[in-house]
mmCIF file with all atom_site columns, all heavy atoms in Angstrom:
data_model
loop_
_atom_site.group_PDB
_atom_site.id
_atom_site.type_symbol
_atom_site.label_atom_id
_atom_site.label_alt_id
_atom_site.label_comp_id
_atom_site.label_asym_id
_atom_site.label_entity_id
_atom_site.label_seq_id
_atom_site.pdbx_PDB_ins_code
_atom_site.Cartn_x
_atom_site.Cartn_y
_atom_site.Cartn_z
_atom_site.occupancy
_atom_site.B_iso_or_equiv
_atom_site.pdbx_formal_charge
_atom_site.auth_seq_id
_atom_site.auth_comp_id
_atom_site.auth_asym_id
_atom_site.auth_atom_id
_atom_site.pdbx_PDB_model_num
ATOM 1   N N   . VAL A 1 102 ? 8.304   -4.110  22.682 1.00 88.00 ? 102 VAL A N   1
ATOM 2   C CA  . VAL A 1 102 ? 7.235   -3.110  22.729 1.00 88.00 ? 102 VAL A CA  1
ATOM 3   C C   . VAL A 1 102 ? 5.893   -3.723  22.339 1.00 88.00 ? 102 VAL A C   1
ATOM 4   O O   . VAL A 1 102 ? 4.850   -3.346  22.868 1.00 88.00 ? 102 VAL A O   1
ATOM 5   C CB  . VAL A 1 102 ? 7.574   -1.920  21.793 1.00 88.00 ? 102 VAL A CB  1
ATOM 6   C CG1 . VAL A 1 102 ? 6.423   -0.937  21.702 1.00 88.00 ? 102 VAL A CG1 1
ATOM 7   C CG2 . VAL A 1 102 ? 8.848   -1.230  22.261 1.00 88.00 ? 102 VAL A CG2 1
ATOM 8   N N   . LEU A 1 103 ? 5.915   -4.690  21.421 1.00 87.00 ? 103 LEU A N   1
ATOM 9   C CA  . LEU A 1 103 ? 4.670   -5.295  20.933 1.00 87.00 ? 103 LEU A CA  1
ATOM 10  C C   . LEU A 1 103 ? 4.317   -6.533  21.743 1.00 87.00 ? 103 LEU A C   1
ATOM 11  O O   . LEU A 1 103 ? 5.175   -7.353  22.052 1.00 87.00 ? 103 LEU A O   1
ATOM 12  C CB  . LEU A 1 103 ? 4.813   -5.683  19.450 1.00 87.00 ? 103 LEU A CB  1
ATOM 13  C CG  . LEU A 1 103 ? 5.045   -4.531  18.487 1.00 87.00 ? 103 LEU A CG  1
ATOM 14  C CD1 . LEU A 1 103 ? 5.265   -5.068  17.077 1.00 87.00 ? 103 LEU A CD1 1
ATOM 15  C CD2 . LEU A 1 103 ? 3.876   -3.573  18.517 1.00 87.00 ? 103 LEU A CD2 1
ATOM 16  N N   . ASP A 1 104 ? 3.035   -6.660  22.057 1.00 78.00 ? 104 ASP A N   1
ATOM 17  C CA  . ASP A 1 104 ? 2.547   -7.831  22.781 1.00 78.00 ? 104 ASP A CA  1
ATOM 18  C C   . ASP A 1 104 ? 2.248   -8.921  21.760 1.00 78.00 ? 104 ASP A C   1
ATOM 19  O O   . ASP A 1 104 ? 1.284   -8.834  20.997 1.00 78.00 ? 104 ASP A O   1
ATOM 20  C CB  . ASP A 1 104 ? 1.275   -7.476  23.560 1.00 78.00 ? 104 ASP A CB  1
ATOM 21  C CG  . ASP A 1 104 ? 0.707   -8.664  24.322 1.00 78.00 ? 104 ASP A CG  1
ATOM 22  O OD1 . ASP A 1 104 ? 1.326   -9.760  24.315 1.00 78.00 ? 104 ASP A OD1 1
ATOM 23  O OD2 . ASP A 1 104 ? -0.367  -8.508  24.923 1.00 78.00 ? 104 ASP A OD2 1
ATOM 24  N N   . ILE A 1 105 ? 3.113   -9.932  21.744 1.00 77.00 ? 105 ILE A N   1
ATOM 25  C CA  . ILE A 1 105 ? 2.910   -11.037 20.799 1.00 77.00 ? 105 ILE A CA  1
ATOM 26  C C   . ILE A 1 105 ? 2.610   -12.343 21.537 1.00 77.00 ? 105 ILE A C   1
ATOM 27  O O   . ILE A 1 105 ? 2.826   -13.429 21.032 1.00 77.00 ? 105 ILE A O   1
ATOM 28  C CB  . ILE A 1 105 ? 4.136   -11.220 19.878 1.00 77.00 ? 105 ILE A CB  1
ATOM 29  C CG1 . ILE A 1 105 ? 5.410   -11.427 20.687 1.00 77.00 ? 105 ILE A CG1 1
ATOM 30  C CG2 . ILE A 1 105 ? 4.272   -10.038 18.930 1.00 77.00 ? 105 ILE A CG2 1
ATOM 31  C CD1 . ILE A 1 105 ? 6.603   -11.842 19.863 1.00 77.00 ? 105 ILE A CD1 1
ATOM 32  N N   . SER A 1 106 ? 2.057   -12.203 22.733 1.00 75.00 ? 106 SER A N   1
ATOM 33  C CA  . SER A 1 106 ? 1.749   -13.384 23.528 1.00 75.00 ? 106 SER A CA  1
ATOM 34  C C   . SER A 1 106 ? 0.677   -14.217 22.837 1.00 75.00 ? 106 SER A C   1
ATOM 35  O O   . SER A 1 106 ? -0.171  -13.689 22.109 1.00 75.00 ? 106 SER A O   1
ATOM 36  C CB  . SER A 1 106 ? 1.269   -12.967 24.922 1.00 75.00 ? 106 SER A CB  1
ATOM 37  O OG  . SER A 1 106 ? 0.065   -12.229 24.819 1.00 75.00 ? 106 SER A OG  1
ATOM 38  N N   . PRO A 1 107 ? 0.708   -15.529 23.057 1.00 70.00 ? 107 PRO A N   1
ATOM 39  C CA  . PRO A 1 107 ? -0.272  -16.416 22.417 1.00 70.00 ? 107 PRO A CA  1
ATOM 40  C C   . PRO A 1 107 ? -1.713  -16.089 22.791 1.00 70.00 ? 107 PRO A C   1
ATOM 41  O O   . PRO A 1 107 ? -2.640  -16.468 22.092 1.00 70.00 ? 107 PRO A O   1
ATOM 42  C CB  . PRO A 1 107 ? 0.109   -17.807 22.924 1.00 70.00 ? 107 PRO A CB  1
ATOM 43  C CG  . PRO A 1 107 ? 1.473   -17.686 23.503 1.00 70.00 ? 107 PRO A CG  1
ATOM 44  C CD  . PRO A 1 107 ? 1.676   -16.247 23.864 1.00 70.00 ? 107 PRO A CD  1
ATOM 45  N N   . SER A 1 108 ? -1.914  -15.359 23.899 1.00 68.00 ? 108 SER A N   1
ATOM 46  C CA  . SER A 1 108 ? -3.280  -15.036 24.313 1.00 68.00 ? 108 SER A CA  1
ATOM 47  C C   . SER A 1 108 ? -3.933  -14.026 23.372 1.00 68.00 ? 108 SER A C   1
ATOM 48  O O   . SER A 1 108 ? -5.144  -13.863 23.380 1.00 68.00 ? 108 SER A O   1
ATOM 49  C CB  . SER A 1 108 ? -3.281  -14.497 25.745 1.00 68.00 ? 108 SER A CB  1
ATOM 50  O OG  . SER A 1 108 ? -2.572  -13.277 25.795 1.00 68.00 ? 108 SER A OG  1
ATOM 51  N N   . ARG A 1 109 ? -3.133  -13.352 22.566 1.00 66.00 ? 109 ARG A N   1
ATOM 52  C CA  . ARG A 1 109 ? -3.685  -12.399 21.595 1.00 66.00 ? 109 ARG A CA  1
ATOM 53  C C   . ARG A 1 109 ? -4.160  -13.193 20.390 1.00 66.00 ? 109 ARG A C   1
ATOM 54  O O   . ARG A 1 109 ? -3.423  -13.984 19.828 1.00 66.00 ? 109 ARG A O   1
ATOM 55  C CB  . ARG A 1 109 ? -2.629  -11.374 21.201 1.00 66.00 ? 109 ARG A CB  1
ATOM 56  C CG  . ARG A 1 109 ? -2.109  -10.658 22.439 1.00 66.00 ? 109 ARG A CG  1
ATOM 57  C CD  . ARG A 1 109 ? -1.934  -9.243  22.390 1.00 66.00 ? 109 ARG A CD  1
ATOM 58  N NE  . ARG A 1 109 ? -2.510  -8.509  21.302 1.00 66.00 ? 109 ARG A NE  1
ATOM 59  C CZ  . ARG A 1 109 ? -2.647  -7.219  21.339 1.00 66.00 ? 109 ARG A CZ  1
ATOM 60  N NH1 . ARG A 1 109 ? -2.294  -6.567  22.400 1.00 66.00 ? 109 ARG A NH1 1
ATOM 61  N NH2 . ARG A 1 109 ? -3.132  -6.565  20.325 1.00 66.00 ? 109 ARG A NH2 1
ATOM 62  N N   . GLU A 1 110 ? -5.392  -12.968 19.985 1.00 72.00 ? 110 GLU A N   1
ATOM 63  C CA  . GLU A 1 110 ? -5.975  -13.802 18.935 1.00 72.00 ? 110 GLU A CA  1
ATOM 64  C C   . GLU A 1 110 ? -5.515  -13.450 17.535 1.00 72.00 ? 110 GLU A C   1
ATOM 65  O O   . GLU A 1 110 ? -5.547  -14.281 16.652 1.00 72.00 ? 110 GLU A O   1
ATOM 66  C CB  . GLU A 1 110 ? -7.495  -13.744 19.029 1.00 72.00 ? 110 GLU A CB  1
ATOM 67  C CG  . GLU A 1 110 ? -8.017  -14.367 20.318 1.00 72.00 ? 110 GLU A CG  1
ATOM 68  C CD  . GLU A 1 110 ? -9.516  -14.386 20.344 1.00 72.00 ? 110 GLU A CD  1
ATOM 69  O OE1 . GLU A 1 110 ? -10.110 -15.024 19.465 1.00 72.00 ? 110 GLU A OE1 1
ATOM 70  O OE2 . GLU A 1 110 ? -10.071 -13.750 21.249 1.00 72.00 ? 110 GLU A OE2 1
ATOM 71  N N   . GLY A 1 111 ? -5.140  -12.212 17.283 1.00 74.00 ? 111 GLY A N   1
ATOM 72  C CA  . GLY A 1 111 ? -4.634  -11.831 15.981 1.00 74.00 ? 111 GLY A CA  1
ATOM 73  C C   . GLY A 1 111 ? -5.585  -12.141 14.847 1.00 74.00 ? 111 GLY A C   1
ATOM 74  O O   . GLY A 1 111 ? -6.791  -11.898 14.931 1.00 74.00 ? 111 GLY A O   1
ATOM 75  N N   . PHE A 1 112 ? -5.038  -12.737 13.777 1.00 77.00 ? 112 PHE A N   1
ATOM 76  C CA  . PHE A 1 112 ? -5.828  -12.990 12.582 1.00 77.00 ? 112 PHE A CA  1
ATOM 77  C C   . PHE A 1 112 ? -7.004  -13.929 12.845 1.00 77.00 ? 112 PHE A C   1
ATOM 78  O O   . PHE A 1 112 ? -8.049  -13.811 12.220 1.00 77.00 ? 112 PHE A O   1
ATOM 79  C CB  . PHE A 1 112 ? -4.970  -13.545 11.446 1.00 77.00 ? 112 PHE A CB  1
ATOM 80  C CG  . PHE A 1 112 ? -5.779  -13.839 10.215 1.00 77.00 ? 112 PHE A CG  1
ATOM 81  C CD1 . PHE A 1 112 ? -6.304  -12.797 9.465  1.00 77.00 ? 112 PHE A CD1 1
ATOM 82  C CD2 . PHE A 1 112 ? -6.050  -15.136 9.828  1.00 77.00 ? 112 PHE A CD2 1
ATOM 83  C CE1 . PHE A 1 112 ? -7.068  -13.047 8.339  1.00 77.00 ? 112 PHE A CE1 1
ATOM 84  C CE2 . PHE A 1 112 ? -6.816  -15.397 8.711  1.00 77.00 ? 112 PHE A CE2 1
ATOM 85  C CZ  . PHE A 1 112 ? -7.327  -14.349 7.960  1.00 77.00 ? 112 PHE A CZ  1
ATOM 86  N N   . GLY A 1 113 ? -6.852  -14.853 13.775 1.00 80.00 ? 113 GLY A N   1
ATOM 87  C CA  . GLY A 1 113 ? -7.952  -15.773 14.080 1.00 80.00 ? 113 GLY A CA  1
ATOM 88  C C   . GLY A 1 113 ? -9.225  -15.024 14.455 1.00 80.00 ? 113 GLY A C   1
ATOM 89  O O   . GLY A 1 113 ? -10.325 -15.375 14.028 1.00 80.00 ? 113 GLY A O   1
ATOM 90  N N   . LEU A 1 114 ? -9.078  -13.975 15.247 1.00 82.00 ? 114 LEU A N   1
ATOM 91  C CA  . LEU A 1 114 ? -10.228 -13.170 15.649 1.00 82.00 ? 114 LEU A CA  1
ATOM 92  C C   . LEU A 1 114 ? -10.788 -12.399 14.453 1.00 82.00 ? 114 LEU A C   1
ATOM 93  O O   . LEU A 1 114 ? -11.990 -12.371 14.224 1.00 82.00 ? 114 LEU A O   1
ATOM 94  C CB  . LEU A 1 114 ? -9.843  -12.199 16.766 1.00 82.00 ? 114 LEU A CB  1
ATOM 95  C CG  . LEU A 1 114 ? -10.939 -11.240 17.237 1.00 82.00 ? 114 LEU A CG  1
ATOM 96  C CD1 . LEU A 1 114 ? -12.129 -12.030 17.800 1.00 82.00 ? 114 LEU A CD1 1
ATOM 97  C CD2 . LEU A 1 114 ? -10.394 -10.283 18.278 1.00 82.00 ? 114 LEU A CD2 1
ATOM 98  N N   . VAL A 1 115 ? -9.878  -11.776 13.682 1.00 83.00 ? 115 VAL A N   1
ATOM 99  C CA  . VAL A 1 115 ? -10.319 -11.025 12.503 1.00 83.00 ? 115 VAL A CA  1
ATOM 100 C C   . VAL A 1 115 ? -11.024 -11.957 11.523 1.00 83.00 ? 115 VAL A C   1
ATOM 101 O O   . VAL A 1 115 ? -12.086 -11.627 10.987 1.00 83.00 ? 115 VAL A O   1
ATOM 102 C CB  . VAL A 1 115 ? -9.119  -10.324 11.818 1.00 83.00 ? 115 VAL A CB  1
ATOM 103 C CG1 . VAL A 1 115 ? -9.523  -9.691  10.503 1.00 83.00 ? 115 VAL A CG1 1
ATOM 104 C CG2 . VAL A 1 115 ? -8.508  -9.284  12.749 1.00 83.00 ? 115 VAL A CG2 1
#
Side-chain angles (χ1 to χ4, degrees):
V102 174
L103 297 176
D104 179 4
I105 56 170
S106 63
S108 64
R109 303 224 13 165
E110 295 184 61
F112 179 70
L114 177 61
V115 173

